[in-house]
Amino acid sequence: MAIRKKSNKNPPVLSHEFIVQNHADIVSCMAMIFLLGLMFEITAKAAVIFVTLQYNVTIPATEEQSAETISLYYYGIKDLATIFFYMLVAIIIHAIIQEYVLDENYISDPTSLWRDYPHALIPFQMKFFYILQLAYWFHAFPELYFQKTKKEDIFRQIVYIGLYLFHIAGAYLLNLTHLGLVLLVLHYFVEFLFHISRLFYFSDEKYQKGFSLWAVLFVLGRLLTLILSVLTFGFGLARAEDQQLNFSTGNFNILAVRISVLASICMTQAFMMWKFINFQLRRWREHSSSQPQTVKKKFVSAKGKNSRKERVFSSFFLENGINGTVTSNGADSPRSRKDKSS
Protein backbone atom coordinates (compact mmCIF):
# COMPACT_ATOMS: atom_id res chain seq x y z
CA MET A 1 0.00 0.00 0.00
CA ALA A 2 1.44 3.32 -1.08
CA ILE A 3 1.93 5.87 1.63
CA ARG A 4 1.40 9.50 0.72
CA LYS A 5 4.17 11.79 1.67
CA LYS A 6 3.26 15.12 3.11
CA SER A 7 4.37 17.97 0.95
CA ASN A 8 6.80 20.35 2.59
CA LYS A 9 5.93 23.14 0.19
CA ASN A 10 4.34 26.11 1.83
CA PRO A 11 1.17 27.55 0.27
CA PRO A 12 1.72 30.70 -1.77
CA VAL A 13 1.52 33.87 0.27
CA LEU A 14 -0.18 36.85 -1.27
CA SER A 15 1.89 39.98 -0.79
CA HIS A 16 0.43 43.28 0.28
CA GLU A 17 1.37 44.85 -3.07
CA PHE A 18 -0.47 42.06 -4.94
CA ILE A 19 -3.63 42.54 -2.89
CA VAL A 20 -3.55 46.32 -3.30
CA GLN A 21 -2.96 45.93 -7.04
CA ASN A 22 -6.00 43.66 -7.45
CA HIS A 23 -8.21 45.96 -5.40
CA ALA A 24 -7.14 48.96 -7.48
CA ASP A 25 -7.89 47.02 -10.68
CA ILE A 26 -11.40 46.24 -9.41
CA VAL A 27 -12.01 49.88 -8.50
CA SER A 28 -10.81 51.03 -11.93
CA CYS A 29 -13.13 48.56 -13.67
CA MET A 30 -16.08 49.75 -11.60
CA ALA A 31 -15.42 53.39 -12.54
CA MET A 32 -15.08 52.41 -16.21
CA ILE A 33 -18.49 50.68 -16.09
CA PHE A 34 -20.19 53.93 -15.06
CA LEU A 35 -18.37 55.88 -17.78
CA LEU A 36 -19.29 53.34 -20.42
CA GLY A 37 -22.89 53.57 -19.27
CA LEU A 38 -23.01 57.16 -20.50
CA MET A 39 -22.35 56.01 -24.07
CA PHE A 40 -25.58 53.99 -24.44
CA GLU A 41 -29.06 55.41 -24.36
CA ILE A 42 -30.48 52.53 -22.32
CA THR A 43 -28.03 52.95 -19.43
CA ALA A 44 -27.33 56.68 -19.75
CA LYS A 45 -30.14 57.74 -17.41
CA ALA A 46 -28.83 55.52 -14.64
CA ALA A 47 -25.17 56.38 -15.22
CA VAL A 48 -25.86 60.13 -15.12
CA ILE A 49 -26.94 59.80 -11.50
CA PHE A 50 -23.44 58.65 -10.58
CA VAL A 51 -21.44 61.08 -12.72
CA THR A 52 -23.28 64.42 -12.59
CA LEU A 53 -24.64 66.48 -9.71
CA GLN A 54 -28.33 65.99 -8.96
CA TYR A 55 -31.15 68.12 -7.52
CA ASN A 56 -30.56 71.36 -9.37
CA VAL A 57 -32.98 74.28 -9.38
CA THR A 58 -32.87 76.99 -12.04
CA ILE A 59 -33.75 80.46 -10.79
CA PRO A 60 -34.89 82.73 -13.62
CA ALA A 61 -33.32 86.11 -14.12
CA THR A 62 -34.94 89.17 -12.61
CA GLU A 63 -34.22 92.84 -13.07
CA GLU A 64 -33.81 93.39 -9.34
CA GLN A 65 -31.47 90.53 -8.47
CA SER A 66 -29.63 89.22 -11.52
CA ALA A 67 -29.55 89.57 -15.28
CA GLU A 68 -28.72 85.87 -15.74
CA THR A 69 -30.34 82.61 -14.75
CA ILE A 70 -28.73 80.92 -11.75
CA SER A 71 -28.52 77.17 -11.10
CA LEU A 72 -28.53 76.15 -7.43
CA TYR A 73 -28.58 72.73 -5.80
CA TYR A 74 -30.06 71.02 -2.77
CA TYR A 75 -29.21 67.63 -1.27
CA GLY A 76 -30.98 64.29 -1.62
CA ILE A 77 -30.53 60.52 -1.55
CA LYS A 78 -29.05 60.45 -5.07
CA ASP A 79 -26.00 62.33 -3.78
CA LEU A 80 -24.81 59.01 -2.33
CA ALA A 81 -24.43 57.63 -5.88
CA THR A 82 -22.39 60.67 -6.97
CA ILE A 83 -20.23 60.45 -3.86
CA PHE A 84 -19.63 56.74 -4.55
CA PHE A 85 -18.47 57.35 -8.13
CA TYR A 86 -16.07 60.17 -7.29
CA MET A 87 -14.79 58.13 -4.37
CA LEU A 88 -13.73 55.54 -6.97
CA VAL A 89 -12.06 58.26 -9.04
CA ALA A 90 -10.20 59.52 -5.97
CA ILE A 91 -9.02 55.99 -5.17
CA ILE A 92 -7.66 55.53 -8.71
CA ILE A 93 -5.81 58.86 -8.66
CA HIS A 94 -4.43 58.17 -5.20
CA ALA A 95 -3.27 54.70 -6.24
CA ILE A 96 -1.44 56.11 -9.27
CA ILE A 97 0.29 58.83 -7.28
CA GLN A 98 1.08 56.49 -4.40
CA GLU A 99 2.57 53.75 -6.54
CA TYR A 100 4.35 55.72 -9.25
CA VAL A 101 5.30 58.97 -7.48
CA LEU A 102 5.67 58.18 -3.78
CA ASP A 103 6.49 54.45 -3.45
CA GLU A 104 8.84 54.31 -6.46
CA ASN A 105 10.79 57.32 -5.20
CA TYR A 106 10.61 59.37 -8.40
CA ILE A 107 11.35 62.51 -6.38
CA SER A 108 14.07 61.22 -4.05
CA ASP A 109 15.56 58.86 -6.65
CA PRO A 110 15.31 60.32 -10.17
CA THR A 111 17.17 57.32 -11.62
CA SER A 112 13.90 55.38 -11.38
CA LEU A 113 12.69 57.42 -14.36
CA TRP A 114 15.10 55.63 -16.72
CA ARG A 115 16.20 52.58 -14.74
CA ASP A 116 15.20 49.23 -16.31
CA TYR A 117 14.19 50.89 -19.58
CA PRO A 118 12.24 49.98 -21.69
CA HIS A 119 9.16 50.09 -19.47
CA ALA A 120 7.18 47.97 -21.89
CA LEU A 121 5.14 46.17 -19.21
CA ILE A 122 3.03 48.55 -17.14
CA PRO A 123 0.31 47.89 -14.53
CA PHE A 124 -3.39 48.34 -15.11
CA GLN A 125 -3.61 51.76 -13.42
CA MET A 126 -0.90 53.31 -15.56
CA LYS A 127 -2.32 51.93 -18.79
CA PHE A 128 -5.78 53.11 -17.75
CA PHE A 129 -4.36 56.57 -17.00
CA TYR A 130 -2.78 56.92 -20.44
CA ILE A 131 -5.86 55.56 -22.21
CA LEU A 132 -8.01 58.16 -20.44
CA GLN A 133 -5.58 60.92 -21.34
CA LEU A 134 -5.51 60.00 -25.01
CA ALA A 135 -9.29 59.56 -25.13
CA TYR A 136 -9.89 62.94 -23.50
CA TRP A 137 -7.65 64.87 -25.88
CA PHE A 138 -8.96 63.06 -28.95
CA HIS A 139 -12.49 63.95 -27.88
CA ALA A 140 -11.47 67.62 -27.81
CA PHE A 141 -11.41 67.72 -31.63
CA PRO A 142 -15.18 67.16 -32.17
CA GLU A 143 -15.81 69.41 -29.16
CA LEU A 144 -14.53 72.32 -31.24
CA TYR A 145 -17.55 71.84 -33.49
CA PHE A 146 -20.09 71.21 -30.75
CA GLN A 147 -18.94 74.26 -28.78
CA LYS A 148 -19.17 76.41 -31.92
CA THR A 149 -15.62 77.69 -31.70
CA LYS A 150 -14.90 80.74 -33.79
CA LYS A 151 -13.03 80.16 -37.03
CA GLU A 152 -10.10 82.34 -36.00
CA ASP A 153 -9.65 80.25 -32.84
CA ILE A 154 -9.87 76.78 -34.40
CA PHE A 155 -6.28 76.58 -35.63
CA ARG A 156 -4.93 77.74 -32.28
CA GLN A 157 -6.99 75.12 -30.45
CA ILE A 158 -5.95 72.36 -32.88
CA VAL A 159 -2.29 73.18 -32.29
CA TYR A 160 -2.86 73.17 -28.54
CA ILE A 161 -4.68 69.81 -28.54
CA GLY A 162 -2.12 68.37 -30.94
CA LEU A 163 0.73 69.25 -28.57
CA TYR A 164 -0.94 67.32 -25.77
CA LEU A 165 -1.59 64.30 -27.98
CA PHE A 166 1.91 64.38 -29.43
CA HIS A 167 3.64 64.30 -26.04
CA ILE A 168 1.25 61.88 -24.30
CA ALA A 169 1.23 59.45 -27.23
CA GLY A 170 5.00 59.77 -27.54
CA ALA A 171 5.54 58.81 -23.91
CA TYR A 172 3.09 55.92 -24.28
CA LEU A 173 4.43 54.49 -27.55
CA LEU A 174 8.13 54.97 -26.75
CA ASN A 175 7.73 53.26 -23.36
CA LEU A 176 8.64 56.43 -21.48
CA THR A 177 5.60 56.10 -19.26
CA HIS A 178 7.45 56.79 -15.99
CA LEU A 179 8.83 60.12 -17.15
CA GLY A 180 5.58 61.02 -18.89
CA LEU A 181 3.54 60.39 -15.74
CA VAL A 182 5.74 62.62 -13.58
CA LEU A 183 5.74 65.46 -16.12
CA LEU A 184 1.96 65.25 -16.58
CA VAL A 185 1.29 65.31 -12.83
CA LEU A 186 3.59 68.32 -12.50
CA HIS A 187 1.92 70.14 -15.39
CA TYR A 188 -1.63 69.39 -14.26
CA PHE A 189 -0.88 70.54 -10.73
CA VAL A 190 0.11 74.00 -12.03
CA GLU A 191 -3.01 74.04 -14.22
CA PHE A 192 -5.18 73.15 -11.23
CA LEU A 193 -3.76 76.06 -9.24
CA PHE A 194 -4.48 78.45 -12.12
CA HIS A 195 -8.13 77.45 -12.38
CA ILE A 196 -8.60 77.64 -8.61
CA SER A 197 -7.11 81.14 -8.61
CA ARG A 198 -9.38 82.06 -11.48
CA LEU A 199 -12.46 80.95 -9.52
CA PHE A 200 -11.40 83.05 -6.53
CA TYR A 201 -10.80 86.02 -8.82
CA PHE A 202 -14.26 85.81 -10.36
CA SER A 203 -15.81 85.70 -6.88
CA ASP A 204 -13.69 88.61 -5.63
CA GLU A 205 -11.79 90.86 -8.04
CA LYS A 206 -9.42 91.95 -5.27
CA TYR A 207 -8.00 88.44 -4.99
CA GLN A 208 -4.72 88.45 -6.93
CA LYS A 209 -2.36 86.41 -4.74
CA GLY A 210 -3.34 83.14 -6.40
CA PHE A 211 -2.13 84.35 -9.79
CA SER A 212 1.16 85.51 -8.29
CA LEU A 213 1.74 82.06 -6.78
CA TRP A 214 0.70 80.43 -10.05
CA ALA A 215 3.17 82.59 -12.00
CA VAL A 216 6.04 81.45 -9.77
CA LEU A 217 5.05 77.78 -9.95
CA PHE A 218 4.54 78.01 -13.70
CA VAL A 219 8.15 79.07 -14.21
CA LEU A 220 9.41 76.48 -11.70
CA GLY A 221 7.35 73.81 -13.44
CA ARG A 222 8.94 74.58 -16.78
CA LEU A 223 12.40 74.55 -15.20
CA LEU A 224 11.80 71.25 -13.40
CA THR A 225 10.45 69.70 -16.60
CA LEU A 226 13.62 70.63 -18.44
CA ILE A 227 15.84 69.33 -15.62
CA LEU A 228 14.11 65.94 -15.46
CA SER A 229 14.11 65.61 -19.25
CA VAL A 230 17.81 66.44 -19.59
CA LEU A 231 18.68 64.03 -16.77
CA THR A 232 16.64 61.24 -18.36
CA PHE A 233 17.81 61.58 -21.97
CA GLY A 234 21.19 63.24 -21.58
CA PHE A 235 22.44 61.37 -18.53
CA GLY A 236 20.40 58.25 -17.74
CA LEU A 237 19.47 56.71 -21.08
CA ALA A 238 22.68 57.98 -22.71
CA ARG A 239 24.71 55.77 -20.34
CA ALA A 240 22.54 52.68 -20.64
CA GLU A 241 24.21 49.51 -21.90
CA ASP A 242 21.53 48.55 -24.40
CA GLN A 243 21.28 51.33 -27.02
CA GLN A 244 20.02 49.35 -29.99
CA LEU A 245 16.67 49.87 -31.64
CA ASN A 246 14.51 46.82 -30.96
CA PHE A 247 10.79 46.89 -31.76
CA SER A 248 10.14 43.46 -30.24
CA THR A 249 11.29 44.56 -26.78
CA GLY A 250 10.13 48.16 -27.17
CA ASN A 251 13.61 49.62 -26.85
CA PHE A 252 13.89 53.02 -28.58
CA ASN A 253 16.99 54.15 -26.73
CA ILE A 254 19.05 55.37 -29.66
CA LEU A 255 20.73 58.73 -30.18
CA ALA A 256 18.29 59.97 -32.83
CA VAL A 257 15.23 59.25 -30.67
CA ARG A 258 16.78 60.79 -27.56
CA ILE A 259 17.70 63.99 -29.39
CA SER A 260 14.28 64.23 -31.07
CA VAL A 261 12.31 63.72 -27.86
CA LEU A 262 14.48 66.08 -25.83
CA ALA A 263 14.32 68.73 -28.55
CA SER A 264 10.53 68.53 -28.72
CA ILE A 265 10.23 68.92 -24.95
CA CYS A 266 12.65 71.86 -24.87
CA MET A 267 10.91 73.65 -27.74
CA THR A 268 7.51 73.17 -26.12
CA GLN A 269 8.73 74.56 -22.80
CA ALA A 270 10.37 77.50 -24.58
CA PHE A 271 7.13 78.18 -26.48
CA MET A 272 5.13 78.15 -23.26
CA MET A 273 7.56 80.52 -21.55
CA TRP A 274 7.48 82.89 -24.53
CA LYS A 275 3.69 83.03 -24.39
CA PHE A 276 3.78 83.42 -20.62
CA ILE A 277 6.19 86.38 -20.84
CA ASN A 278 4.04 88.06 -23.48
CA PHE A 279 1.00 87.59 -21.25
CA GLN A 280 2.78 89.15 -18.27
CA LEU A 281 3.95 92.10 -20.37
CA ARG A 282 0.44 92.68 -21.70
CA ARG A 283 -0.92 92.50 -18.17
CA TRP A 284 1.68 95.03 -16.99
CA ARG A 285 0.76 97.41 -19.81
CA GLU A 286 -2.92 97.13 -18.87
CA HIS A 287 -2.06 97.86 -15.26
CA SER A 288 0.07 100.89 -16.08
CA SER A 289 -2.42 102.48 -18.47
CA SER A 290 -3.35 106.15 -18.24
CA GLN A 291 -4.79 107.04 -14.84
CA PRO A 292 -8.03 109.06 -14.49
CA GLN A 293 -8.05 112.66 -13.36
CA THR A 294 -11.66 113.09 -12.29
CA VAL A 295 -14.00 111.02 -10.17
CA LYS A 296 -16.13 110.14 -13.16
CA LYS A 297 -13.16 109.15 -15.25
CA LYS A 298 -11.79 107.15 -12.34
CA PHE A 299 -14.99 105.14 -12.07
CA VAL A 300 -15.14 104.43 -15.80
CA SER A 301 -11.45 103.55 -15.93
CA ALA A 302 -11.73 101.18 -12.96
CA LYS A 303 -14.67 99.41 -14.52
CA GLY A 304 -12.86 99.07 -17.84
CA LYS A 305 -9.71 97.94 -16.11
CA ASN A 306 -11.52 95.20 -14.20
CA SER A 307 -13.25 93.94 -17.32
CA ARG A 308 -9.95 93.98 -19.23
CA LYS A 309 -8.27 92.02 -16.44
CA GLU A 310 -11.02 89.43 -16.51
CA ARG A 311 -10.70 89.06 -20.26
CA VAL A 312 -6.90 88.82 -20.05
CA PHE A 313 -6.89 86.20 -17.31
CA SER A 314 -9.71 84.12 -18.74
CA SER A 315 -8.54 84.24 -22.35
CA PHE A 316 -4.82 83.79 -21.63
CA PHE A 317 -4.72 80.10 -22.36
CA LEU A 318 -7.23 80.35 -25.18
CA GLU A 319 -4.90 82.70 -27.01
CA ASN A 320 -1.64 81.04 -26.02
CA GLY A 321 -2.70 77.42 -26.09
CA ILE A 322 -0.96 76.41 -22.88
CA ASN A 323 -3.40 75.65 -20.13
CA GLY A 324 -6.89 74.24 -20.33
CA THR A 325 -9.22 74.23 -23.31
CA VAL A 326 -11.36 77.35 -23.28
CA THR A 327 -13.73 78.17 -26.08
CA SER A 328 -14.17 81.63 -27.44
CA ASN A 329 -17.79 81.58 -26.35
CA GLY A 330 -16.76 81.03 -22.74
CA ALA A 331 -13.69 83.18 -22.62
CA ASP A 332 -15.26 86.06 -20.75
CA SER A 333 -16.08 85.80 -17.09
CA PRO A 334 -19.68 85.76 -15.79
CA ARG A 335 -19.30 89.39 -14.74
CA SER A 336 -18.15 90.41 -18.21
CA ARG A 337 -21.14 88.71 -19.79
CA LYS A 338 -23.40 90.46 -17.33
CA ASP A 339 -21.92 93.83 -18.27
CA LYS A 340 -22.35 93.08 -21.96
CA SER A 341 -25.99 92.01 -21.56
CA SER A 342 -26.82 95.13 -19.60
Side-chain angles (χ1 to χ4, degrees):
M1 181 177 178
I3 300 176
R4 285 186 183 177
K5 293 183 179 180
K6 294 183 178 180
S7 176
N8 294 327
K9 295 182 178 180
N10 296 325
V13 179
L14 298 179
S15 63
H16 174 72
E17 290 77 7
F18 179 80
I19 297 175
V20 172
Q21 177 74 29
N22 284 351
H23 287 176
D25 293 349
I26 295 174
V27 171
S28 302
C29 291
M30 293 174 63
M32 179 61 75
I33 291 175
F34 292 115
L35 294 176
L36 290 176
L38 296 173
M39 302 176 62
F40 303 97
E41 185 177 357
I42 299 177
T43 59
K45 294 182 179 180
V48 165
I49 299 176
F50 290 87
V51 178
T52 62
L53 298 179
Q54 304 297 312
Y55 305 109
N56 63 312
V57 177
T58 301
I59 300 178
T62 59
E63 296 181 356
E64 298 178 355
Q65 296 181 355
S66 176
E68 295 181 352
T69 58
I70 302 175
S71 296
L72 301 177
Y73 296 83
Y74 61 96
Y75 67 87
I77 190 65
K78 293 181 181 179
D79 291 343
L80 296 176
T82 310
I83 293 173
F84 176 73
F85 172 77
Y86 285 100
M87 180 190 69
L88 300 180
V89 175
I91 291 175
I92 296 172
I93 297 175
H94 181 269
I96 293 174
I97 297 176
Q98 181 71 35
E99 184 170 354
Y100 301 107
V101 178
L102 301 179
D103 292 345
E104 290 193 4
N105 299 322
Y106 285 167
I107 299 176
S108 60
D109 184 16
T111 60
S112 57
L113 295 175
W114 60 80
R115 191 191 308 129
D116 299 328
Y117 179 84
H119 306 135
L121 299 177
I122 58 177
F124 178 86
Q125 294 98 326
M126 183 173 285
K127 184 177 179 65
F128 185 67
F129 173 79
Y130 274 95
I131 293 298
L132 285 182
Q133 289 295 311
L134 293 172
Y136 173 80
W137 290 109
F138 271 117
H139 111 282
F141 285 117
E143 281 295 314
L144 296 177
Y145 171 77
F146 294 124
Q147 294 179 355
K148 299 179 180 179
T149 306
K150 293 181 179 179
K151 292 182 179 180
E152 58 268 21
D153 296 330
I154 291 179
F155 177 75
R156 192 161 47 235
Q157 288 291 327
I158 290 177
V159 172
Y160 166 70
I161 297 170
L163 285 175
Y164 265 103
L165 286 174
F166 176 76
H167 289 88
I168 296 174
Y172 184 68
L173 297 176
L174 297 177
N175 295 321
L176 296 168
T177 50
H178 291 187
L179 177 64
L181 177 64
V182 174
L183 297 184
L184 280 174
V185 170
L186 177 63
H187 179 72
Y188 287 153
F189 173 76
V190 178
E191 280 193 340
F192 175 76
L193 180 61
F194 171 80
H195 291 295
I196 292 297
S197 302
R198 187 181 173 197
L199 289 175
F200 278 108
Y201 176 78
F202 286 161
S203 62
D204 186 2
E205 296 175 1
K206 297 180 180 180
Y207 184 83
Q208 300 281 342
K209 296 181 180 179
F211 291 112
S212 300
L213 178 61
W214 162 76
V216 174
L217 293 181
F218 182 87
V219 177
L220 292 178
R222 308 286 71 77
L223 180 62
L224 186 57
T225 298
L226 291 175
I227 293 174
L228 293 177
S229 301
V230 171
L231 283 176
T232 301
F233 297 104
F235 176 79
L237 295 179
R239 297 188 177 185
E241 296 180 358
D242 188 4
Q243 297 192 20
Q244 294 182 353
L245 183 63
N246 192 332
F247 291 99
S248 60
T249 61
N251 186 6
F252 299 93
N253 185 19
I254 59 176
L255 181 61
V257 174
R258 292 199 304 269
I259 293 178
S260 300
V261 175
L262 184 59
S264 66
I265 295 176
C266 292
M267 287 191 301
T268 302
Q269 303 307 308
F271 171 76
M272 294 171 67
M273 280 302 304
W274 179 62
K275 293 293 185 180
F276 175 79
I277 293 173
N278 288 335
F279 162 71
Q280 293 294 341
L281 292 176
R282 186 168 69 251
R283 179 188 173 192
W284 177 78
R285 285 194 297 266
E286 291 283 347
H287 183 72
S288 60
S289 58
S290 58
Q291 297 183 0
Q293 298 179 357
T294 62
V295 177
K296 183 177 180 180
K297 289 182 179 180
K298 183 177 181 180
F299 174 77
V300 174
S301 177
K303 183 177 179 181
K305 183 178 179 181
N306 288 335
S307 62
R308 285 196 301 271
K309 281 185 178 180
E310 288 184 359
R311 287 194 297 270
V312 169
F313 277 123
S314 59
S315 63
F316 166 50
F317 290 109
L318 169 65
E319 296 179 0
N320 300 333
I322 294 176
N323 195 16
T325 52
V326 182
T327 62
S328 56
N329 294 334
D332 293 338
S333 69
R335 299 188 181 184
S336 298
R337 292 195 301 268
K338 184 177 178 180
D339 294 339
K340 293 176 183 178
S341 62
S342 59

